[in-house]
Amino acid sequence: MNSIKSVPARVLSRRPGHSLEAEREQFDKTQAISISKAINTQEAPVKEKHARRIILGTHHEKGAFTFWSYAIGLPLPSSSILSWKFCHVLHKVLRDGHPNVLQDCQRHRSNIREIGDLWGHLHDRYGQLVNVYTKLLLTKISFHLKHPQFPAGLEVTDEVLEKTAGTDVNNIFQLTVEMFDYMDCELRLSESVFRQLNTAIAVSQMSSGQCRLAPLIQVIQDCSHLYHYTVKLLFKLHACLPADTLQGHRDRFHEQFHSLRNFFRRASDMLYFKRLIQIPRLPEGPPNFLRASALAEHIKPVVVIPEEAPEDEEPENLIEISMGPPAGEPAVVADLFDQTFGPPNGSLKDDRDVQIESLKREVEMLRGELEKIKLEAQRYVSQLKGQVNALEAELEEQRKQKQKALVDNEQLRHELAQLRAAQREGERNQGLREEAEKKASTIEARYHKLKEKHSELIGTHAELLRKNADTAKQLTVTQQSQEEVARVKEQLAFQMEQVKRESEMKLEEQSDLLEKLKEELEAKARELVRAQEALTRTEQSGSELSSRLDALSAEKAALSSVVRQRDADLQAAQGLAREKEAALSREQQRSAQETAQLRGQLADKESQEQELQRRLLDEQFAVLRGTAAEAERILQDAVAKLDDPLHLRCTSSPDYLVSRAQAALDAVSALEKGHAQYLVSRSDASVLVAALTQFSYLAADTIVNGSATSHLAPTDPADRLVDTCRECGARALELLGQLQEQQTLHQAQPSLVRRPLQGILQLGQELKPKSLDVRQEELGAMVDKEMAATSTAIEDAVRRIEDMMNQARHASSGVKLEVNERILNSCTDLMKAIRLLVTTSTSLQKEIVESGRGAATQQEFYAKNSRWTEGLISASKAVGWGATQLVYVTPGSRRTGWCSTRASTKSSSSAPTRSRPARPSSWQLPR
């Protein structure tokens, strides 16, 4: 209410000369304007001056009728921000408004509850806050209506708190529980607000963050008072009740203490609160309620609201009076004046100046828009970070709830076992109680018998007129025994079980005493006879006996009063027994109710655990299905490359294909193991997912390299290799399709993919070059041998071509001779070039070998580079074969078709036949 003092008095005072209706109309319009400005859809905090006017309006009309008349008409279901600011204003009105505001809000509880339920069912961030805020407001209204001694601002003295709590322990207990509920609602709102904000302190300086943080000022004020009151009440309860009875209160207070301390610490670190409120610091640990002197160490937390600077009052014009052209529109009147009379003196501007000014205005406007865009982007980034943090916090909270549910489940089971043991103990106590009742009835019957015997003793008192001093002494002993029995009966009123045991012992003692009394009475009767005989002899002692008779009468009256006292004690013991029985029955009923409640909680925990287990299985299967789908796309892409014409240029070696196929077979083994393990335990699919990922990659790699290897293989092996790759892809896709469905998951057989992979492995081994069968030690000798053979073949071809040239000169003439000479010269030049090539390559080969390349000798070098050596051998064979073949097709040779028919016929019959050298096979060519 400190802020109300700064509002001008003109709002509350009646203006002179105005009627009551005009003043009421002016007041309604003022309130309507303040409510519309305070409660709007802008994501910004409520301005304090508008809230103050609404609060002053409640004091002016002594209620909140006008406020609710306008608030009901607000479109609260259409905007969550509008509902949030409505709850904020209502909270401020409840705290600082007129006391009658509470009754007016009670009549609109249904409206508040409907708004909270509406936004609670929608997935809106402000909507969830509105749901929590409305629950707090409803709790606040209910508490203050039930306890009118506490104002809505919750500020009372300790004397008022003591008077409200009273001396009844039950009332103090119930008031403490209600304050705990009140505090829970306050802390739940603060936790919900902080959960939606980013952890950065700079968020409190943004309008969106301040809109959420503004209501927490009232929450801090309420929590400080509630914390102080609960500490006072708990110390008072611990002074009246045992510590074990209040264990639940202490646990709940400790939990709220740590939450409140964390809330105050986070709020005090934010810049937004530092200039608006001074937040108190709570102690490091909660008070020790088990030590009564700790109350003196408690310090009441005090919240300080700094005095605000007086804000300039905005003129609230009920009728709009246009004071000038709106911002951004041209001054039409000034333009017309300038057009008519020209610009004023000294104000003539050049067109370039006008353009410069317009450009400056555009630059400033663009800068403003750029700043707005930057602020908007920063706000979006902050919101996204807040959402990520909120999701992470929710995930962590779900994990904690799951762990807590498991712990609670174990605790409930332990408590259920304890309750069952207590129930068995109660049944056993019931049996003991029934047995004690039987013993008590037996004691009562014996007591009645004793009473009858006592009445007989009273009847015989008339005959004891002449009893001597020994008889009086014995009566005194009897009276003392009666007092001892009375004391035993008083002990029965305090401890039931001890009374039952001691009563049985006392009964036996009384029975023995009764037998002794009977014996003594018989002895006294005999003595009385002797006394009567002596009485006849001694008449002088009559006066003494008369006095003794009076004494015995007094003793009789005393014994009668003792008997009545014992009857009253017996009735009190019976009443105490009935009270104990009623208390035991109530305890049994309470234990039965707690057992039923714990069973219900146990069932709820089990259902929650089953739901969490089901969600875990669904998530694991979703991961498996996503992995299988991705693996299926990988294999489909690999199978599609079998028919891709662009893939025809890709080649691969059989050695690499064999290594890929072997790795894929190993991955199939891992896949079988992971599949079997997943079928045993569906809660962990990590092994199967890892094996499936590796298998899809290796299988796709095997198919692609199989297709690339087939491009260099012969036709038949290439076709078989492609078909095997297709079969492997089909088997793998079928397996992945089965792994994506729950119905076919157990039918999946990863072993079916093994057979096509083994076929690819076998075909790859068949396509490997056979020249590797030659021993590595013979490669060096083969190189020298083939190079020497090639040189010999070339020299032989050169010599034969020269012979053919000489023969052609003798056998031909004219044009034919000229043509043959040119061809033979070309062949001679070609052979010389080939011989030079062989000689040069041989020299180069020797240089490479002699340079070492890491090998010690020539044979070791050839053995180490076996594939390069094989290519060199194949090339030398090809050169030798080409040189020899050239001789057979050269003009002038007996084996060519370029000579005359007669020469060809003669040469074919007379020339010796020579076998042509075989062409090296394709597998001997270097790759």
Side-chain angles (χ1 to χ4, degrees):
M1 294 297 295
N2 297 330
S3 61
I4 298 178
K5 299 179 181 179
S6 60
V7 179
R10 63 179 177 84
V11 180
L12 298 177
S13 62
R14 180 184 299 179
R15 297 180 180 178
H18 284 71
S19 63
L20 193 61
E21 291 79 5
E23 181 182 359
R24 180 63 187 179
E25 183 179 358
Q26 179 68 22
F27 171 76
D28 291 343
K29 291 180 179 179
T30 304
Q31 287 292 298
I33 293 172
S34 299
I35 292 172
S36 62
K37 289 184 177 181
I39 306 174
N40 50 41
T41 57
Q42 295 179 0
E43 193 174 7
V46 177
K47 288 188 177 181
E48 194 64 28
K49 58 184 179 181
H50 303 317
R52 283 202 305 268
R53 289 171 184 165
I54 297 173
I55 293 171
L56 287 173
T58 62
H59 287 277
H60 179 70
E61 65 174 354
K62 296 181 175 56
F65 176 78
T66 304
F67 171 76
W68 277 107
S69 63
Y70 286 106
I72 292 175
L74 294 174
L76 300 179
S78 62
S79 174
S80 58
I81 299 178
L82 190 70
S83 302
W84 172 253
K85 299 177 80 170
F86 163 74
C87 294
H88 183 197
V89 174
L90 180 59
H91 196 177
K92 294 176 73 70
V93 169
L94 280 172
R95 280 188 54 85
D96 301 330
H98 194 271
N100 294 336
V101 170
L102 197 62
Q103 300 294 335
D104 295 337
C105 293
Q106 172 66 15
R107 288 191 290 269
H108 294 86
R109 284 176 60 90
S110 59
N111 300 95
I112 301 174
R113 185 180 296 106
E114 288 175 359
I115 292 300
D117 294 340
L118 171 65
W119 288 109
H121 295 301
L122 300 177
H123 297 286
D124 185 87
R125 301 185 69 82
Y126 271 103
Q128 300 299 322
L129 296 179
V130 171
N131 184 20
V132 179
Y133 209 162
T134 53
K135 292 179 181 178
L136 169 60
L137 295 175
L138 294 174
T139 304
K140 185 178 184 69
I141 294 171
S142 301
F143 178 82
H144 293 290
L145 287 174
K146 186 176 181 180
H147 304 284
Q149 298 85 357
F150 291 95
L154 282 172
E155 187 172 359
V156 296
T157 61
D158 293 342
E159 291 78 10
V160 176
L161 178 64
E162 292 286 338
K163 184 178 179 180
T164 305
T167 57
D168 191 356
V169 179
N170 296 324
N171 294 337
I172 301 174
F173 193 93
Q174 183 63 27
L175 180 60
T176 308
V177 172
E178 292 175 356
M179 285 192 175
F180 279 150
D181 297 338
Y182 200 165
M183 179 73 83
D184 282 338
C185 295
E186 300 276 359
L187 294 176
R188 194 177 298 115
L189 177 61
S190 64
E191 291 173 359
S192 301
V193 171
F194 281 127
R195 192 181 301 118
Q196 290 192 13
L197 290 178
N198 191 6
T199 56
I201 301 178
V203 175
S204 62
Q205 299 302 311
M206 300 175 63
S207 60
S208 60
Q210 293 178 0
C211 183
R212 291 181 172 91
L213 292 173
L216 296 187
I217 297 177
Q218 285 72 41
V219 174
I220 294 172
Q221 292 175 324
D222 291 345
C223 289
S224 63
H225 294 299
L226 290 174
Y227 168 74
H228 175 65
Y229 299 153
T230 51
V231 171
K232 290 282 188 180
L233 293 176
L234 281 176
F235 272 111
K236 194 169 185 179
L237 282 175
H238 279 78
C240 303
L241 295 176
D244 296 338
T245 307
L246 299 173
Q247 182 62 40
H249 276 48
R250 288 197 301 274
D251 295 340
R252 192 172 182 183
F253 176 81
H254 290 168
E255 183 179 356
Q256 289 185 354
F257 174 80
H258 294 296
S259 299
L260 182 61
R261 187 171 181 275
N262 187 25
F263 168 41
F264 282 1
R265 179 183 57 79
R266 295 183 65 180
S268 60
D269 291 340
M270 289 188 174
L271 299 176
Y272 175 71
F273 292 109
K274 289 184 178 179
R275 62 182 180 86
L276 296 177
I277 187 172
Q278 183 177 349
I279 303 173
R281 291 282 185 178
L282 296 182
E284 294 295 331
N288 186 8
F289 299 107
L290 302 179
R291 184 167 55 89
S293 60
L295 179 60
E297 302 173 0
H298 170 67
I299 300 175
K300 179 181 179 181
V302 179
V303 178
V304 179
I305 303 294
E307 291 292 337
E308 298 181 358
E311 298 179 357
D312 297 334
E313 293 294 331
E314 296 181 359
E316 298 179 358
N317 297 323
L318 302 180
I319 302 176
E320 293 185 0
I321 301 175
S322 60
M323 301 302 295
E329 294 184 2
V332 180
V333 178
D335 292 344
L336 292 176
F337 182 82
D338 292 341
Q339 292 176 5
T340 306
F341 300 99
N345 296 329
S347 62
L348 184 62
K349 294 184 179 180
D350 193 3
D351 293 338
R352 290 177 294 179
D353 296 335
V354 174
Q355 292 178 0
I356 290 172
E357 291 180 358
S358 64
L359 290 175
K360 287 182 179 179
R361 287 195 297 271
E362 291 179 0
V363 168
E364 293 297 329
M365 182 176 65
L366 292 176
R367 285 179 180 174
E369 293 179 356
L370 181 60
E371 292 296 329
K372 290 181 181 179
I373 293 173
K374 288 182 179 179
L375 291 175
E376 189 71 17
Q378 185 177 3
R379 185 171 65 87
Y380 286 152
V381 170
S382 301
Q383 290 180 354
L384 292 176
K385 289 182 179 178
Q387 293 177 2
V388 171
N389 293 331
L391 292 176
E392 291 178 353
E394 291 177 0
L395 180 60
E396 187 65 25
E397 185 178 358
Q398 289 179 358
R399 291 176 180 171
K400 290 181 180 178
Q401 289 179 356
K402 178 181 178 182
Q403 189 68 23
K404 185 177 180 182
L406 296 175
V407 175
D408 293 343
N409 192 5
E410 292 297 330
Q411 291 180 355
L412 289 174
R413 290 178 180 174
H414 181 66
E415 291 177 0
L416 182 60
Q418 290 181 351
L419 287 175
R420 289 176 178 173
Q423 186 177 4
R424 290 194 295 269
E425 185 68 22
E427 294 176 355
R428 187 163 57 253
N429 292 334
Q430 182 70 16
L432 294 175
R433 186 181 63 81
E434 294 176 356
E435 184 178 356
E437 289 179 353
K438 293 179 181 178
K439 291 181 179 180
S441 61
T442 306
I443 292 172
E444 187 177 359
R446 291 181 179 179
Y447 176 74
H448 284 302
K449 292 180 181 179
L450 180 62
K451 188 176 181 181
E452 292 175 357
K453 294 296 181 182
H454 187 267
S455 63
E456 292 177 0
L457 288 174
I458 293 174
T460 59
H461 276 304
E463 298 176 359
L464 298 177
L465 299 174
R466 297 173 183 178
K467 187 171 59 174
N468 53 12
D470 295 335
T471 305
K473 183 179 180 179
Q474 185 64 37
L475 288 174
T476 304
V477 174
T478 304
Q479 184 178 3
Q480 291 177 356
S481 64
Q482 294 294 335
E483 291 175 356
E484 183 69 20
V485 173
R487 285 194 298 271
V488 172
K489 291 297 183 180
E490 289 177 356
Q491 292 179 0
L492 285 172
F494 295 97
Q495 296 182 355
M496 186 62 185
E497 295 180 355
Q498 293 181 1
V499 167
K500 293 175 183 178
R501 293 193 296 268
E502 292 178 1
S503 62
E504 187 175 0
M505 296 171 61
K506 294 298 179 182
L507 182 61
E508 294 177 356
E509 292 177 1
Q510 289 176 2
S511 299
D512 297 336
L513 183 60
L514 185 60
E515 294 296 330
K516 291 180 181 179
L517 288 174
K518 287 180 180 180
E519 293 175 358
E520 291 175 358
L521 285 175
E522 291 176 357
K524 295 303 178 183
R526 290 191 297 269
E527 292 177 358
L528 183 60
V529 172
R530 290 193 298 269
Q532 288 178 354
E533 293 175 353
L535 181 61
T536 59
R537 291 191 301 269
T538 57
E539 297 177 349
Q540 295 83 2
S541 61
S543 59
E544 296 178 0
L545 290 176
S546 297
S547 61
R548 290 181 179 177
L549 180 61
D550 294 336
L552 289 174
S553 299
E555 291 178 356
K556 176 184 176 182
L559 289 173
S560 300
S561 63
V562 169
V563 169
R564 288 194 297 270
Q565 182 67 28
R566 291 176 65 184
D567 290 340
D569 293 340
L570 182 60
Q571 291 178 359
Q574 290 177 353
L576 181 61
R578 286 193 295 270
E579 290 179 359
K580 293 292 183 182
E581 183 180 0
L584 181 60
S585 62
R586 288 195 299 271
E587 184 67 24
Q588 289 178 353
Q589 291 178 359
R590 187 177 64 82
S591 63
Q593 292 177 358
E594 290 180 354
T595 303
Q597 185 178 5
L598 289 174
R599 287 177 180 173
Q601 293 179 0
L602 181 60
D604 295 339
K605 295 296 182 182
E606 290 178 353
S607 62
Q608 292 178 2
E609 185 177 359
Q610 293 176 359
E611 179 65 21
L612 290 174
Q613 186 68 20
R614 184 185 62 79
R615 289 177 59 185
L616 177 61
L617 295 178
D618 294 341
E619 290 176 358
Q620 291 293 322
F621 182 72
V623 172
L624 175 61
R625 183 165 55 188
T627 306
E630 184 64 26
E632 185 177 5
R633 287 191 290 271
I634 292 173
L635 287 171
Q636 287 176 353
D637 181 68
V639 172
K641 289 182 179 179
L642 294 174
D643 299 328
D644 191 358
L646 298 177
H647 188 65
L648 294 176
R649 296 184 178 181
C650 297
T651 59
S652 179
S653 64
D655 293 333
Y656 187 72
L657 176 61
V658 168
S659 65
R660 294 291 87 191
Q662 186 62 45
L665 286 173
D666 296 338
V668 171
S669 301
L671 182 61
E672 291 177 347
K673 181 179 178 181
H675 180 258
Q677 184 175 354
Y678 180 71
L679 291 179
V680 173
S681 175
R682 295 288 184 92
S683 61
D684 186 11
S686 59
V687 178
L688 180 56
V689 168
L692 189 61
T693 304
Q694 185 181 16
F695 166 74
S696 62
Y697 165 70
L698 293 174
D701 197 13
T702 302
I703 293 173
V704 172
N705 283 282
S707 175
T709 305
S710 66
H711 297 159
L712 292 178
T715 304
D716 293 339
D719 294 340
R720 291 200 306 271
L721 183 58
V722 172
D723 294 338
T724 308
C725 291
R726 290 184 189 278
E727 182 182 0
C728 179
R731 293 292 186 184
L733 291 174
E734 181 181 359
L735 173 63
L736 295 176
Q738 292 176 348
L739 292 178
Q740 296 181 32
E741 300 294 335
Q742 289 276 12
Q743 296 79 7
T744 59
L745 182 62
H746 63 281
Q747 299 177 0
Q749 296 181 2
S751 59
L752 297 178
V753 191
R754 189 183 300 276
R755 187 178 62 82
L757 284 174
Q758 289 177 350
I760 294 174
L761 178 63
Q762 183 177 0
L763 289 173
Q765 291 176 350
E766 291 177 358
L767 291 175
K768 291 173 65 176
K770 299 303 186 292
S771 61
L772 295 178
D773 296 337
V774 182
R775 293 184 302 174
Q776 298 293 337
E777 295 81 2
E778 300 176 359
L779 287 176
M782 289 181 63
V783 171
D784 295 337
K785 182 179 178 180
E786 290 297 333
M787 293 298 289
T790 302
S791 300
T792 305
I794 292 172
E795 292 176 357
D796 184 47
V798 171
R799 187 184 66 254
R800 292 175 60 190
I801 289 174
E802 291 177 354
D803 294 340
M804 285 187 290
M805 287 180 63
N806 295 328
Q807 293 177 5
R809 289 182 185 140
H810 294 292
S812 302
S813 62
V815 178
K816 185 176 181 180
L817 177 60
E818 184 178 358
V819 172
N820 289 337
E821 284 183 353
R822 289 182 180 179
I823 292 174
L824 290 174
N825 289 329
S826 299
C827 291
T828 302
D829 296 338
L830 178 60
M831 295 309 296
K832 290 180 179 179
I834 292 173
R835 183 171 59 184
L836 180 61
L837 175 62
V838 172
T839 304
T840 307
S841 62
T842 303
S843 302
L844 180 61
Q845 178 69 15
K846 289 181 179 180
E847 288 182 8
I848 293 174
V849 174
E850 291 174 357
S851 63
R853 298 285 183 177
T857 62
Q858 182 177 359
Q859 301 296 332
E860 291 178 358
F861 178 83
Y862 287 137
K864 183 177 180 180
N865 302 277
S866 59
R867 296 184 62 86
W868 179 71
T869 305
E870 292 170 2
L872 182 61
I873 293 171
S874 180
S876 63
K877 286 183 178 181
V879 172
W881 177 81
T884 307
Q885 191 69 17
L886 182 62
V887 176
Y888 285 93
V889 298
T890 303
S893 174
R894 295 184 176 88
R895 297 169 180 83
T896 183
W898 289 24
C899 301
S900 60
T901 304
R902 185 178 59 182
S904 177
T905 303
K906 291 181 180 180
S907 61
S908 62
S909 59
S910 60
T913 60
R914 183 179 296 178
S915 61
R916 298 183 180 180
R919 181 181 179 180
S921 60
S922 60
W923 58 267
Q924 292 174 329
L925 295 177
R927 297 185 180 273

